[in-house]
Amino acid sequence: MRRIRFLSAIMAGSLVLGGGVAAAQSSLPLSGSQGGSAAPPSYLKDEDGRSLILRGFNTASSSKSAPDGMPKFTEADLEREYAAMGTNFVRFLISWRSVEPAPGQYDQAYLNRVEERVGWYAERGYKVMLDMHQDVYSGAAIPGGDTGNGAGPIGNGAPAWATYTDGLSVEPQDRWELYYIQPGVMRAFDNFWNTTGKHPELAEHYANAWRAVAERFADNDAVVAYDLMNEPWGGSMIGSPFEAGPLAALYQRTTNTIRQVDQDSWVCVAPQAIGVNQGLPSGLTKIDDPRAGEQRIAYCPHLYPLPMDLGSAYEGPARTLTDVTIDAWRADVERVSGVLGGVPVIIGEFGFDTTLPGVVDYIGRVYDEAREMGAGVAYWSSDPGPWGPYLEDGTSTALVGTVNKPYPRAVAGTPVEWSASDTNLQLTFRPDPAVTAPTEIYLPQQGFPGAVNVEGADIVSWDRDSRLLTVRTVGDAASATVKVTPAN
Ligand code: IDC
């Protein structure tokens, strides 16, 4: 029953979008590995000009409804995460309700708390993407939403003062996603997008709330990206008309507003979530970045193949359907990255129940796709539980070993390709003569317990505590290949 209802919600999306995964595969220009015509991936850069390969978590769902807006995630939790997996990235959840609790008033104490946590990450060399999170618009759209109905908090994001359901109903649902098609929630979105014509002020508030955030973090080197809106939903406007219309308009306005105070952070845009997360094509159109110099827009889609989202194991027919979905999803992500101007890609969310069969294969496959695509990854999520790296009692799940693999974190040039196993890393890149900082590579303890062998570059440093190797290529070759193996 549950599944059928959720499927019909998805199918409603796919009908409007024009026929689903099969249509996506047959009608779109293929790119990347399949078509061979796509431009090589581009990357976010750090303050030294190095290309960033970002690997980390969403932190955390627990912040969504917390009164202070903070995740249940301590500095010690971050220590544990780094020691166990060597991550360098976080998609850190923030919310409009916390930034702008009353119209035009920005809560600097809240931003202090965010900044404190950003500091924990900065001290450990992480990069941060701030994610203005929402699920089903707002806790205020759902009766009892902030406390939930026993299934955890439902609804988060917009402040109560920006939530106009116009008295339409919101009935209790078995799955949180189903609230998206409740009349009151649909109307709250319609009012936000001003397709009702009644609330032109809300988009302006949203853009200005982002400016308040960007003002705070503009000079913070750890904060590299702003994910403008988690999982956009157009209410009664679905698919391309929404994505090319009110969604692109909000992204453009918010980008322009952020650029009043911050020239350098990447602005990340995402497609309509429902349907596109499951492999359907997106109709998102180009956003112009008003900053001087190269554009700093990134594309941050999510990946939730339907069988995985509904709790299937990665085996049998569900695995086949998931594989087909990932192929279609990747082709479309690469296409949209091109539409946006050849922008970097960050997988803002993907996740899986780590207790199900096939988990290691599924997660491994997604990281492989990300590697080939040059995409960053933020796994959903670091919250304790079967989807996360740790259960409530602190026991590690299968995720820890799957994530803890060698990877180049920051490359002094443009990566062309790289691959890694437990005891080997190989990276080919085009060195950028303007970059003086070395290339930085993470090597887990298990495969690299002692000295390392490096071919194709000189070792600058090898710190066995932080597990970070830095290397510098010699000469001025257009292309360099670095190979790293354990020395013993
Ligand atoms: C989920 C949380 C769950 C919570 C729900 C609603 O895991 O505890 O009840 O949100 O707030 C997304 C969303 C992300 C979801 C996640 C997993 O962006 O907020 O978290 N997911 O369901 N999109 C697809 C999956």
Side-chain angles (χ1 to χ4, degrees), residues 192-193 203 206-207 210 226-233 242-259 267-273 282 284-290 297-301 340:
F192 176 77
W193 300 112
Y206 195 83
W210 259 117
Y226 303 130
D227 194 348
L228 295 189
M229 181 182 286
N230 182 62
E231 304 213 325
W233 173 240
F242 165 59
E243 294 181 291
L247 181 62
L250 181 85
Y251 285 158
Q252 189 62 62
R253 162 182 251 171
T254 308
T255 303
N256 295 348
T257 308
I258 286 173
R259 288 291 180 243
V267 169
C268 290
V269 296
Q272 169 180 294
S282 165
L284 193 60
T285 47
K286 189 166 187 315
I287 312 302
D288 292 314
D289 187 344
I297 305 288
Y299 186 47
C300 302
L340 291 168

Side-chain angles (χ1 to χ4, degrees), residues 303 308 314 326 350-356 358-370 377 379-380 386-388 397-405:
L303 171 62
M308 312 285 93
Y314 185 56
I326 295 174
F350 94 98
F352 192 41
D353 181 335
T354 63
T355 60
L356 291 174
V359 60
V360 171
D361 287 357
Y362 174 64
I363 292 170
R365 168 149 193 211
V366 178
Y367 278 95
D368 275 348
E369 301 289 343
V377 183
Y379 180 92
W380 184 271
W387 277 48
T397 69
L399 189 58
V400 174
T402 315
V403 172
N404 189 31
K405 294 277 152 58

Side-chain angles (χ1 to χ4, degrees), residues 160-180:
W161 60 262
T163 305
Y164 295 94
T165 57
D166 295 346
L168 297 186
S169 64
V170 178
E171 300 298 332
Q173 302 295 312
D174 291 338
R175 292 184 60 98
W176 69 266
E177 299 96 324
L178 290 172
Y179 283 92
Y180 271 115

Side-chain angles (χ1 to χ4, degrees), residues 172-212:
Q173 302 295 312
D174 291 338
R175 292 184 60 98
W176 69 266
E177 299 96 324
L178 290 172
Y179 283 92
Y180 271 115
I181 50 172
Q182 284 293 297
V185 171
M186 301 261 288
R187 181 62 64 85
F189 277 107
D190 289 344
N191 278 320
F192 176 77
W193 300 112
N194 198 32
T195 41
T196 58
K198 291 196 299 187
H199 291 285
E201 78 285 3
L202 293 179
E204 191 179 347
H205 275 285
Y206 195 83
N208 291 344
W210 259 117
R211 183 175 51 206

Side-chain angles (χ1 to χ4, degrees), residues 3-82:
R3 290 181 183 203
I4 290 165
R5 285 160 72 196
F6 185 61
L7 268 171
S8 43
I10 295 293
M11 287 317 293
S14 66
L15 285 175
V16 176
L17 282 160
V21 166
Q25 287 191 310
S26 59
S27 66
L28 291 171
L30 291 173
S31 62
S33 57
Q34 290 163 349
S37 60
S42 58
Y43 292 81
L44 273 66
K45 303 279 172 61
D46 70 6
E47 59 282 9
D48 296 317
R50 294 179 294 188
S51 299
L52 289 167
I53 293 173
L54 300 167
R55 294 289 178 267
F57 285 86
N58 279 269
T59 298
S61 198
S62 56
S63 64
K64 290 173 182 172
S65 301
D68 68 355
M70 291 298 110
K72 287 188 200 133
F73 187 86
T74 63
E75 197 170 4
D77 292 333
L78 179 57
E79 281 285 316
R80 175 178 66 175
E81 179 185 317
Y82 184 78

Side-chain angles (χ1 to χ4, degrees), residues 276-310:
V276 182
N277 285 1
Q278 288 80 24
L280 294 173
S282 165
L284 193 60
T285 47
K286 189 166 187 315
I287 312 302
D288 292 314
D289 187 344
R291 81 187 285 272
E294 51 160 24
Q295 304 262 300
R296 288 195 164 184
I297 305 288
Y299 186 47
C300 302
H302 298 179
L303 171 62
Y304 285 106
L306 199 50
M308 312 285 93
D309 214 12
L310 295 175

